[in-house]
Amino acid sequence: SQLLHQMAQHMGQQPNGPRQRGLVLFADQGYALHRFVQTPYRGNNLPQIEADFNHVMSGLRVSVEWGFGRIASLFAFCKFEKNLKVLLSPVGKYYRCAVLLTNCHSCLRR
């Protein structure tokens, strides 16, 4: 996949060059660390600053998960694998459209 290369381009960097901005993708512990991917600190006896970081980021991850859930509840076809066939239908476009319309829905419901 070209994901890391695309991330580097989006962040204004060369894939193997120095980081010019402090942007990273925060992922759960199932992902490997990479220069563009950060995961929570691991272990039981973490320094306080690392434990605080994990606590703050955990709360942010929950709100992101709620956002995904909101998209799935408004546009149920986005969560059914039988409706989304990669390489046979424009899955990315469907999902981006669902995200855009969910944002519109959120703004109108205020």
Side-chain angles (χ1 to χ4, degrees), residues 72 75-85 89 91 94:
F75 300 96
F77 72 90
C78 285
K79 66 181 177 182
F80 293 117
E81 292 177 7
K82 64 183 177 185
N83 294 336
L84 302 175
K85 301 198 184 319
S89 59
V91 175
Y94 290 160

Side-chain angles (χ1 to χ4, degrees), residues 2-104:
Q2 294 291 318
L3 179 61
L4 293 175
H5 182 72
Q6 290 175 4
M7 287 176 67
Q9 287 182 326
H10 177 72
M11 295 176 189
Q13 309 173 105
Q14 296 299 318
N16 296 320
R19 285 188 6 192
Q20 296 173 358
R21 296 187 205 168
L23 299 176
V24 295
L25 180 67
F26 190 77
D28 63 25
Q29 292 181 345
Y31 291 88
L33 286 174
H34 189 273
R35 57 184 292 173
F36 301 123
V37 179
Q38 183 173 352
T39 62
Y41 292 103
R42 296 178 181 167
N44 294 328
N45 298 319
L46 296 174
Q48 190 61 43
I49 193 165
E50 291 178 0
D52 291 345
F53 176 83
N54 283 353
H55 179 73
V56 169
M57 293 307 287
S58 174
L60 295 174
R61 282 183 34 224
V62 167
S63 65
V64 169
E65 294 288 335
W66 287 347
F68 287 131
R70 183 80 177 140
I71 292 166
S73 70
L74 290 173
F75 300 96
F77 72 90
C78 285
K79 66 181 177 182
F80 293 117
E81 292 177 7
K82 64 183 177 185
N83 294 336
L84 302 175
K85 301 198 184 319
V86 176
L87 302 179
L88 297 178
S89 59
V91 175
K93 290 180 181 179
Y94 290 160
Y95 199 80
R96 285 184 199 147
C97 184
V99 169
L100 175 66
L101 292 173
T102 299
N103 287 343
C104 292

